[in-house]
Amino acid sequence: INAERIAQWNSDRLPFFEPGLDEIVQMVRGVNLFFSTDIPAAIRRADIIFVSVNTPTKEFGYGAGMASDLQYWERTAQQIVEHVERPAIIVEKSTVPVRTAEVMEKIVAANPRPGISLEVVSNPEFLAEGTAVRDLLEPDRVLIGSRQSESGRRAAAELSSVFAHWVPRERIITTNLWSSELSKLVANAFLAQRISSINAISALCEKTDADIG
């Protein structure tokens, strides 16, 4: 939706720096990677739709300062059901509260399209700033969560087959939808706890002349 940002992605000066990203974009842009503001056209063509939108902390209303603001996720869900023309897999990439997939499923159910099935799966991202390209090319795991129905497992298998082009099968983990959503939050929480702990130990070292190293 940001025309200026999309223009940057289509230029020789990308909107942010990440080691190795420039080279990959230059190599595949215009071949099998395209940046566009025409969201409806992209939805109509897609078999798999990756939803990567901001989920900031709510600034007002119930849960302000604590809960996630899902307005961008819900807006995207509405766009998908409005423009989709074929069965598709909708993939959560954003960091979202557990059971967010139900929001998408309710929007889909409220706007039924005869003959068009939409399956929601979770595929959280575990990329770190500074090593994101390496983390993408050589991930220690790819996590895919789906409903444990026949259609859900089929969607998970289809998404797994995409990653299997470059990720060893033993690193592709499938689970249920809610375990996948929760795993991303737990990974973030563990990282926050490690940072908090080492900060506390650092302060202790400064008081006692111990060496934090």
Side-chain angles (χ1 to χ4, degrees):
I1 62 174
N2 186 328
E4 182 181 350
R5 180 66 57 85
I6 294 299
Q8 288 178 302
W9 280 109
N10 282 315
S11 73
D12 292 330
R13 192 175 183 85
L14 303 187
F16 65 84
F17 173 74
E18 180 68 35
L21 183 61
D22 240 33
E23 293 81 354
I24 287 183
V25 171
Q26 296 291 349
M27 182 171 58
V28 299
R29 188 172 57 195
V31 180
N32 61 357
L33 175 65
F34 303 90
F35 298 98
S36 171
T37 56
D38 192 351
I39 297 170
I43 291 172
R44 286 192 293 269
R45 289 194 301 266
D47 297 308
I48 303 176
I49 303 169
F50 292 84
V51 182
S52 306
V53 296
N54 289 341
T55 51
T57 303
K58 289 182 72 173
E59 296 182 355
F60 57 87
Y62 182 75
M66 295 180 291
S68 294
D69 185 347
L70 298 178
Q71 62 171 309
Y72 304 110
W73 171 253
E74 293 175 5
R75 195 178 303 165
T76 303
Q78 293 283 1
Q79 278 188 307
I80 291 172
V81 296
E82 181 181 350
H83 298 292
V84 70
E85 293 182 349
R86 64 173 89 179
I89 299 169
I90 302 168
V91 185
E92 290 180 334
K93 295 298 288 185
S94 308
T95 301
V96 295
V98 182
R99 303 193 83 86
T100 294
E102 283 187 338
V103 175
M104 177 72 78
E105 290 171 342
K106 287 177 181 176
I107 291 172
V108 170
N111 301 270
R113 302 289 298 276
I116 297 178
S117 61
L118 300 174
E119 194 72 38
V120 182
V121 303
S122 168
N123 175 221
E125 205 57 85
F126 298 100
L127 306 181
E129 188 175 338
T131 61
V133 172
R134 190 183 70 199
D135 296 338
L136 177 66
L137 296 178
E138 302 174 11
D140 59 357
R141 84 279 202 198
V142 171
L143 183 61
I144 299 171
S146 69
R147 289 282 194 182
Q148 296 304 289
S149 60
E150 183 180 345
S151 60
R153 285 191 286 267
R154 191 164 54 242
E158 188 170 338
L159 185 56
S160 296
S161 71
V162 174
F163 285 103
H165 281 87
W166 77 95
V167 179
R169 280 284 183 178
E170 62 270 16
R171 294 188 189 177
I172 302 174
I173 304 166
T174 55
T175 183
N176 69 59
L177 203 45
W178 319 129
S179 296
S180 179
E181 288 180 339
L182 183 59
S183 291
K184 173 61 174 177
L185 299 177
V186 170
N188 286 1
F190 280 165
L191 180 59
Q193 288 166 353
R194 288 172 62 192
I195 293 170
S196 178
S197 293
I198 200 64
N199 284 343
I201 294 168
S202 177
L204 184 61
C205 287
E206 290 177 4
K207 292 287 186 181
T208 60
D209 293 327
D211 181 353
I212 187 62

